Amino acid sequence: MHEPPHPLPAQAADILARLREKRPRVHSITNAVAQNFTANVLLAFGAIPSMTISPDEIDGFAARSDALLVNLGTFDAERRVACGIAIDRAASDGKPWVLDPVLIDRSPPRADYARAMVGRAPSVVRLNELEFETLAGLKAEPRVLGRYAADAGLVVALTGAIDVVADGRRHIRVGNGHEWMALVTAMGCAGSAMIAACLAVEKDPALATATALLALGIAGELAADRASGPGSFAVDILDCLYDLDRAALIARAKVT
Amino acid sequence: MHEPPHPLPAQAADILARLREKRPRVHSITNAVAQNFTANVLLAFGAIPSMTISPDEIDGFAARSDALLVNLGTFDAERRVACGIAIDRAASDGKPWVLDPVLIDRSPPRADYARAMVGRAPSVVRLNELEFETLAGLKAEPRVLGRYAADAGLVVALTGAIDVVADGRRHIRVGNGHEWMALVTAMGCAGSAMIAACLAVEKDPALATATALLALGIAGELAADRASGPGSFAVDILDCLYDLDRAALIARAKVT
Amino acid sequence: MHEPPHPLPAQAADILARLREKRPRVHSITNAVAQNFTANVLLAFGAIPSMTISPDEIDGFAARSDALLVNLGTFDAERRVACGIAIDRAASDGKPWVLDPVLIDRSPPRADYARAMVGRAPSVVRLNELEFETLAGLKAEPRVLGRYAADAGLVVALTGAIDVVADGRRHIRVGNGHEWMALVTAMGCAGSAMIAACLAVEKDPALATATALLALGIAGELAADRASGPGSFAVDILDCLYDLDRAALIARAKVT
């Protein structure tokens, strides 16, 4: 007896098609290390990035965007002011936003700030195991992720060798990816920006999140087939994101 | 009957030769997303970049440079102070400078600031159609570009599928380029930096501007022949700029 | 009669092996142009980068790191505050740190600041000839380098066509490298970060410094064999750093 195929890959292909048609604007408040790569990932994926953090104009950029990314990787005073304004705008306009609490396990003040940001109702929090445990004060176990997501009213996207997307009702596990993804700076940050792009064209945030992680993981596998090391891998993954199509999503997906 | 060839490609080849001999210093006040790529484009093209925005030292850097780029893509308070000091220095030393009013169509305060900067007499303003219309409050039509350029006493470089360089007397149209240039972040910003580099070695600002746009467009076409997507394209365009020679400029130029 | 082989290449191979086993954390306060490339160089080499400059959290990051890089290439007020805090932490924890006084020959206030930083006892200062002469007020001659190093109680790493490492007792000269290294922005900055990484796993700072410069120079030669220009070179050098092994270090080293 065959198990029916998981519905995600076909749904992800639909979301990708909508993304490329709509070309949503994603305003990304992200760290200085990640800005350039994140912008290029968004462009290759099919979205339009903007990146300003100036308090004078962040409201205007957020208002003209379809989704927002708030990445805490550079935690300077100006960015914190910008975050507050942009989140206010997203909230009042009913637009989705993603929180990426980079490296909060290494910085107690950043962790405090991230916990306050969770109270501002992000659609999705993307983080790794150590970051989750710092944010939640809980072990990153499947049941715990779901409970945390339900209590906080958001989707948790825990990335690692296997990515887990939990919203309190469902767990989607995505097993695609390649070890070189950990050797390119800002790869996780770029993944968070891709989640924001998918949220702009898909109302179910868990599905949007899983789509972004699936697309990035499969692009990573395809890039690793071409690349000679982490340098060329970072280049090839952009080409592979740009070329990614329904057939590759469906053929290569490892989703449970 | 043959039309005589346009003089630009041969003039551009001369300017490129002077650039590589002189290796001018271009101080670039540019946005955080663009800094690394802009520096590498300038190096590949034959110029020497510097990038500081510190108010304490911007005067010294501007004074030791041959041309200046002012890009408004990251519009923070410190950069605005730096811009003012650097433009004062360029004005008092009689050095050329380029204004790149990135995304002013999305930010009214940035548009106001850009209009004030036009009053500071840049040699060239490089922008796209939406940015021109925001800056000038006028439709981006050929006659309008020329009138705006003449009134403001500068060269307008309107980039798009076809680039137009207008100084009130002449229109130079450059048709080279590739669609992937729009899929690499900071490509336009880097083009503005190349204009600044050419201004350092060529007194006719319209000619310098058209040279930079021609070189970038042809490098883009050559890179697209090698590349597999926008990621490898961003790498290959650097190699192609570095290799660009008189023969390629003359053979491939689409100038009217 | 044969001269015995220089001991450095074999020692460097041992240091590289320790680096890849320990994966030290290197906190890099570096300029905005260099941040992304530096992080990727550290990852490819075998270290774990972090980059924050926020005064609120720099102490925590420095405390959790194995070595520190202080690069003065973006000399803004916030970075200077961060530098002071991070150096205090390195001093009180007895951890090594590297000073990279980028372009101080073009900025008197930056040069003053760099001289003050030398008084804070860095393990290593990496710079080019013009930067050394600005810092020390002395000609960059072999004997002078050694005397300066001994007086200041640090290692001088003077990089150029031939790199010289001097600590007052020894001079190690590394002749590896490729001219394209000067056409990739932040290559020197990344080299300084690699020195910091080696200091984290090797107590002799001259040996650690020479190891990093040897590894970077050989990776540069290997990358130049594959690359088509400075764009692909910047990518290939990451792949070559990642692949670098004992055999290549020993076979290709030009050390005296």
Side-chain angles (χ1 to χ4, degrees):
Chain A
M1 233 176 84
H2 287 294
E3 200 151 341
H6 197 285
L8 177 65
Q11 293 167 320
D14 292 342
I15 292 170
L16 182 62
R18 288 207 297 279
L19 179 80
R20 286 169 176 171
E21 197 195 323
K22 187 178 174 193
R23 296 187 65 71
R25 289 178 172 179
V26 178
H27 191 74
S28 299
I29 302 174
T30 193
N31 66 81
V33 186
Q35 284 184 318
N36 184 277
F37 186 67
T38 300
N40 281 331
V41 163
L42 285 171
L43 287 164
F45 192 41
I48 308 288
S50 61
M51 297 262 152
T52 191
I53 56 157
S54 167
D56 290 352
E57 52 181 6
I58 185 79
D59 181 65
F61 273 88
R64 289 168 179 79
S65 295
D66 302 300
L68 173 68
L69 168 67
V70 173
N71 171 304
L72 307 182
T74 310
F75 182 70
D76 52 67
E78 188 170 33
R79 267 183 181 78
R80 273 174 278 175
V81 173
C83 289
I85 297 170
I87 293 168
D88 285 346
R89 170 56 63 186
S92 72
D93 290 359
K95 290 195 189 137
W97 70 280
V98 176
L99 176 66
D100 186 336
V102 182
L103 287 184
I104 52 171
D105 49 303
R106 295 218 218 152
S107 170
R110 197 188 290 189
D112 288 343
Y113 186 75
R115 277 185 284 265
M117 289 297 100
V118 167
R120 304 292 314 274
S123 317
V124 181
V125 178
R126 192 209 63 81
L127 31 51
N128 66 26
E129 195 174 309
L130 276 175
E131 290 158 355
F132 178 81
E133 295 180 1
T134 303
L135 183 70
L138 300 165
K139 271 281 166 202
E141 287 159 3
R143 208 172 304 178
V144 172
L145 296 179
R147 201 176 343 123
Y148 181 87
D151 288 351
L154 48 73
V155 169
V156 172
L158 188 86
T159 55
I162 292 179
D163 301 332
V164 182
V165 177
D167 68 355
R169 296 180 300 119
R170 292 165 291 177
H171 275 79
I172 308 175
R173 296 164 60 89
V174 178
N176 295 94
H178 190 273
E179 59 179 329
W180 283 344
M181 295 173 78
L183 293 182
V184 178
T185 198
M187 188 60 77
C189 305
S192 297
M194 289 172 59
I195 294 172
C198 289
L199 288 169
V201 297
E202 169 54 47
K203 280 186 185 163
D204 178 340
L207 199 52
T209 301
T211 294
L213 298 177
L214 180 65
L216 185 61
I218 292 177
E221 293 174 5
L222 294 165
D225 288 345
R226 305 185 184 177
S228 308
S232 48
F233 177 77
V235 173
D236 292 332
I237 202 169
L238 293 168
D239 290 357
C240 292
L241 272 175
Y242 178 74
D243 277 339
L244 195 66
D245 60 15
R246 174 176 291 268
L249 278 173
I250 290 173
R252 300 192 71 121
K254 296 179 197 155
V255 180
T256 53
Chain B
M1 233 176 84
H2 287 294
E3 201 148 343
H6 197 286
L8 177 64
Q11 293 167 320
D14 293 342
I15 292 170
L16 182 61
R18 290 207 296 280
L19 179 79
R20 286 171 176 170
E21 196 195 324
K22 188 178 172 190
R23 297 187 65 72
R25 288 177 174 181
V26 178
H27 192 74
S28 300
I29 301 174
T30 193
N31 65 80
V33 187
Q35 285 184 318
N36 184 277
F37 186 66
T38 300
N40 281 330
V41 163
L42 285 171
L43 286 164
F45 192 40
I48 307 287
S50 60
M51 297 263 154
T52 192
I53 56 157
S54 166
D56 290 351
E57 51 181 6
I58 186 79
D59 181 65
F61 273 87
R64 289 168 179 81
S65 295
D66 302 300
L68 174 67
L69 168 67
V70 173
N71 171 303
L72 307 182
T74 309
F75 181 68
D76 52 67
E78 186 169 35
R79 267 183 181 76
R80 274 175 277 175
V81 173
C83 289
I85 297 170
I87 293 168
D88 285 346
R89 169 57 61 186
S92 73
D93 290 358
K95 290 196 189 135
W97 70 280
V98 177
L99 177 66
D100 186 337
V102 182
L103 288 184
I104 53 171
D105 50 301
R106 295 219 218 152
S107 171
R110 198 188 290 190
D112 289 343
Y113 186 75
R115 278 185 283 265
M117 290 297 100
V118 168
R120 304 293 313 274
S123 316
V124 180
V125 177
R126 193 210 63 81
L127 32 50
N128 66 24
E129 195 173 308
L130 276 174
E131 290 159 355
F132 178 82
E133 295 182 2
T134 302
L135 184 70
L138 300 164
K139 270 281 168 203
E141 287 160 3
R143 207 172 305 176
V144 172
L145 297 180
R147 200 176 343 122
Y148 181 86
D151 288 352
L154 49 74
V155 170
V156 172
L158 189 85
T159 54
I162 292 179
D163 301 333
V164 182
V165 177
D167 68 355
R169 296 180 300 118
R170 292 164 291 178
H171 274 80
I172 310 174
R173 294 164 61 88
V174 178
N176 295 93
H178 189 274
E179 58 178 330
W180 283 345
M181 295 173 78
L183 294 183
V184 178
T185 198
M187 188 61 78
C189 306
S192 296
M194 289 172 58
I195 293 172
C198 289
L199 288 169
V201 297
E202 169 54 47
K203 280 186 185 165
D204 178 340
L207 199 52
T209 301
T211 295
L213 298 177
L214 181 65
L216 185 61
I218 292 177
E221 293 173 6
L222 294 164
D225 288 345
R226 305 185 184 177
S228 308
S232 47
F233 177 77
V235 172
D236 291 332
I237 202 169
L238 293 168
D239 290 356
C240 292
L241 272 174
Y242 178 74
D243 277 338
L244 196 65
D245 60 14
R246 173 176 292 269
L249 279 173
I250 290 173
R252 300 192 71 120
K254 297 178 195 156
V255 180
T256 53
Chain C
M1 231 178 86
H2 287 296
E3 197 148 347
H6 197 286
L8 177 65
Q11 292 166 321
D14 293 342
I15 292 170
L16 182 61
R18 286 208 297 280
L19 179 80
R20 286 171 176 169
E21 196 195 324
K22 186 178 175 191
R23 297 186 67 71
R25 288 178 172 179
V26 178
H27 192 75
S28 300
I29 300 174
T30 193
N31 67 80
V33 186
Q35 284 184 319
N36 184 277
F37 186 65
T38 300
N40 281 331
V41 164
L42 284 171
L43 286 165
F45 192 40
I48 307 289
S50 60
M51 297 262 152
T52 192
I53 56 157
S54 166
D56 291 351
E57 50 181 6
I58 186 78
D59 180 66
F61 273 88
R64 289 168 179 80
S65 295
D66 302 301
L68 174 68
L69 167 67
V70 173
N71 171 302
L72 306 182
T74 309
F75 182 69
D76 52 67
E78 187 170 33
R79 267 183 181 75
R80 274 175 276 174
V81 173
C83 289
I85 298 170
I87 293 168
D88 284 345
R89 170 56 61 186
S92 72
D93 290 358
K95 291 197 188 135
W97 69 281
V98 177
L99 177 66
D100 186 337
V102 182
L103 288 184
I104 53 171
D105 50 302
R106 296 219 216 150
S107 171
R110 199 189 289 190
D112 288 343
Y113 185 75
R115 278 184 283 264
M117 289 297 99
V118 168
R120 303 293 313 275
S123 317
V124 180
V125 178
R126 194 210 61 83
L127 30 50
N128 66 25
E129 194 173 309
L130 276 175
E131 290 159 355
F132 178 82
E133 295 181 1
T134 303
L135 184 70
L138 299 164
K139 271 280 168 203
E141 288 159 3
R143 207 172 307 177
V144 171
L145 296 180
R147 202 179 340 125
Y148 181 85
D151 288 352
L154 49 73
V155 169
V156 172
L158 189 86
T159 54
I162 291 179
D163 301 332
V164 182
V165 177
D167 68 355
R169 295 180 298 122
R170 292 164 292 177
H171 275 80
I172 308 175
R173 295 164 61 89
V174 177
N176 296 92
H178 189 274
E179 59 178 329
W180 283 345
M181 294 173 79
L183 293 182
V184 177
T185 198
M187 188 61 77
C189 306
S192 296
M194 288 171 58
I195 294 173
C198 289
L199 287 169
V201 296
E202 168 54 47
K203 280 186 185 163
D204 177 340
L207 197 54
T209 301
T211 295
L213 298 176
L214 180 65
L216 185 62
I218 291 177
E221 293 174 4
L222 294 165
D225 288 346
R226 305 185 184 176
S228 308
S232 47
F233 178 76
V235 173
D236 291 332
I237 202 170
L238 292 169
D239 290 356
C240 292
L241 271 174
Y242 178 73
D243 277 339
L244 196 66
D245 61 12
R246 173 176 291 269
L249 279 173
I250 290 173
R252 300 193 72 120
K254 296 178 197 158
V255 180
T256 52

